[in-house]
Amino acid sequence: MIVKIKSMKYLYTLIAIVFYMPANAQIAWTSGINISTNTFSNERPQIALDRAGNPMVIWGRMSDESVFFSKWNGTLFSPPIKLNPSWLTVATADWMGPAIAAHGDTVYVVVKRTPETTDTNRLFVISSFNGGNSFNAPVELAFIGDSISRLPTITTDDMGNPIVAYMKFNASSLDSRWVVTRSNDYGLTFTSDVKVSGWGNSTEVCDCCPGSVASSGNEAIMMYRDNNLNTRDIWASHSSDNANTFPSGFSVDINGWFVVSCPSSGPDGEIIGDTLYTTFMSRGSGSFRTYLNKSSISSGSLSTVSTLTGPITGLTLQNFPKMAKDGNAMAIVWRQVASGQASLPLLYTNDVSNGFPVAYDTVDIDNITNTDVAIKNGNIYVVWQDDNSGTVKFRSGNYTPGTTGIEEPSAANFSIYPNPSEEFITINSKNNHPFQVNIFNSIGEKVYSSNQQQKLRLPIESWMNGLYLIQINTGNNLFDYKFVKQ
């Protein structure tokens, strides 16, 4: 397949800077807090949101190769819980590590077992179907032969099934390439992986650079940093069949960055309609700058190239950009160093089709190593690794959503408990709204159906152990939940 790269004039957007004090009047910020004490460490925190919009955060601890999870309960963050059992040591550092994705109250955390260079130490997904209140045993991804794997990343499709991308090598740690695998049964099993890199006529990818995968409808995009004879630009691999095959790819970066050493920094991206938004760091211009580029998915062509900021006095570094969307609203965070001082800037717009405002907010200053962001229902949540305190820090802000955003129906008025369960499950409408229930097993067979009611207590003791999908129909909306029979 021919990779199409459109020739055009590229628009470079210069964005003015207002330093330190939050300048974007659209956002009202709370004070920053520590998620936990520094005994739990703080390596590369990542954030996702549950169905109600509560932040869920994971991070690593290098000393014992662990991954921790904590969730906001409306007042504070829960005490951290260790997700990996003792036999599963987890690769983590300040530039790579476990990744998290959520769809409603379905939560997935993907990890790489150490030592990374052992081919029998593969990738595992740890799932929760009750918004992180409890987690299931780790599930190993599909058998990958004698290959070495690393740098997993994860997203979900529109049904809540996980899509995982990761890097593979041969037994000699050569032939680096990106592959994608997906699950059709909510993480119980995974398909054989499909190679998605190589579109830049290169034989290898940047072997220490994390990637990112995004999904919307039937469209899936895997973004990665290539290594074409040490030219390390960003490429996108495209699937139009929900991440089952990736028959095409295109460039989303024109910097032509030639570097012999490995930059250990990769892209992030989001899909809105036919547009792929990609953010990344490059030194192709001679300076470490962060970018936001726009591409047409259907034509496989890059349309707009923008730096996240304009010229900044004393700027020496921008790196590790992350982005998040909610409808057409979008937020981007990154690490920045100017005149010797590190800061955590944030750009926000309630309608990305209109671009970003001139000024950015500064969420924090000093000791920022990396950061992540989530956005939903008029709220922005930012987490970052602070190496002065040794903690994961958190700050939130609220904004007025744009009228062009996509408003998702809320399912917070339904509760399903206990989950997992052995004997009974209760499905409750908190506002006494009547509903209909259909329940399916992991292979799609309907095992239960009910008429409209306001509360259901269902015996399940005779059911087979495993994962079940509950569909709640209110007449106007259809909500999906999962529960585990054990």
Side-chain angles (χ1 to χ4, degrees), residues 359-378:
Y360 62 71
D361 284 22
T362 299
V363 180
D364 193 29
I365 60 171
D366 291 335
N367 300 299
I368 292 94
T369 302
N370 54 51
T371 181
D372 198 13
V373 63
I375 178 172
K376 187 173 184 177
N377 298 336

Side-chain angles (χ1 to χ4, degrees), residues 305-477:
V305 178
S306 305
T307 53
L308 292 182
T309 67
I312 299 173
T313 301
L315 179 67
T316 55
L317 178 68
Q318 293 177 329
N319 203 356
F320 301 130
K322 296 294 292 290
M323 64 170 26
K325 69 168 185 177
D326 183 30
N328 282 353
M330 182 175 286
I332 305 176
V333 292
W334 66 98
R335 179 177 186 260
Q336 183 167 288
V337 179
S339 300
Q341 185 173 54
S343 63
L344 197 171
L346 179 142
L347 278 172
Y348 155 78
T349 176
N350 63 11
D351 187 353
V352 71
S353 64
N354 294 329
F356 284 90
V358 173
Y360 62 71
D361 284 22
T362 299
V363 180
D364 193 29
I365 60 171
D366 291 335
N367 300 299
I368 292 94
T369 302
N370 54 51
T371 181
D372 198 13
V373 63
I375 178 172
K376 187 173 184 177
N377 298 336
N379 294 294
I380 295 175
Y381 306 100
V382 183
V383 292
W384 64 97
Q385 176 179 335
D386 184 288
D387 284 332
N388 181 46
S389 64
T391 62
V392 175
K393 290 190 176 291
F394 169 85
R395 195 178 185 190
S396 64
N398 59 73
Y399 63 91
T400 301
T403 57
T404 58
I406 301 170
E407 184 177 356
E408 298 182 0
S410 172
N413 288 326
F414 294 96
S415 59
I416 299 174
Y417 57 91
N419 188 5
S421 178
E422 297 180 6
E423 299 180 350
F424 292 90
I425 58 168
T426 298
I427 304 174
N428 183 37
S429 172
K430 298 177 183 177
N431 60 2
N432 296 320
H433 194 290
F435 59 88
Q436 184 181 22
V437 173
N438 291 300
I439 302 180
F440 304 86
N441 62 20
S442 62
I443 61 174
E445 298 172 335
K446 185 183 290 187
V447 298
Y448 179 82
S449 183
S450 77
N451 295 320
Q452 288 193 345
Q453 53 203 299
Q454 296 173 347
K455 186 173 184 177
L456 172 66
R457 187 171 189 265
L458 180 63
I460 61 170
E461 189 172 12
S462 63
W463 293 16
M464 297 289 292
N465 291 349
L467 177 67
Y468 291 82
L469 171 68
I470 300 175
Q471 287 189 341
I472 296 179
N473 191 339
T474 65
N476 296 319
N477 295 302

Side-chain angles (χ1 to χ4, degrees), residues 150-161:
R150 72 182 315 209
L151 304 181
T153 186
I154 193 167
T155 190
T156 68
D157 65 14
D158 286 356
M159 290 298 294
N161 282 298

Side-chain angles (χ1 to χ4, degrees), residues 7 10 16 46 49 57 88 138 300 314 330 338 374 446 449 469-470:
S7 175
Y10 295 97
Q46 304 287 288
L49 305 177
V57 182
L88 178 54
M330 182 175 286
K446 185 183 290 187
S449 183
L469 171 68
I470 300 175

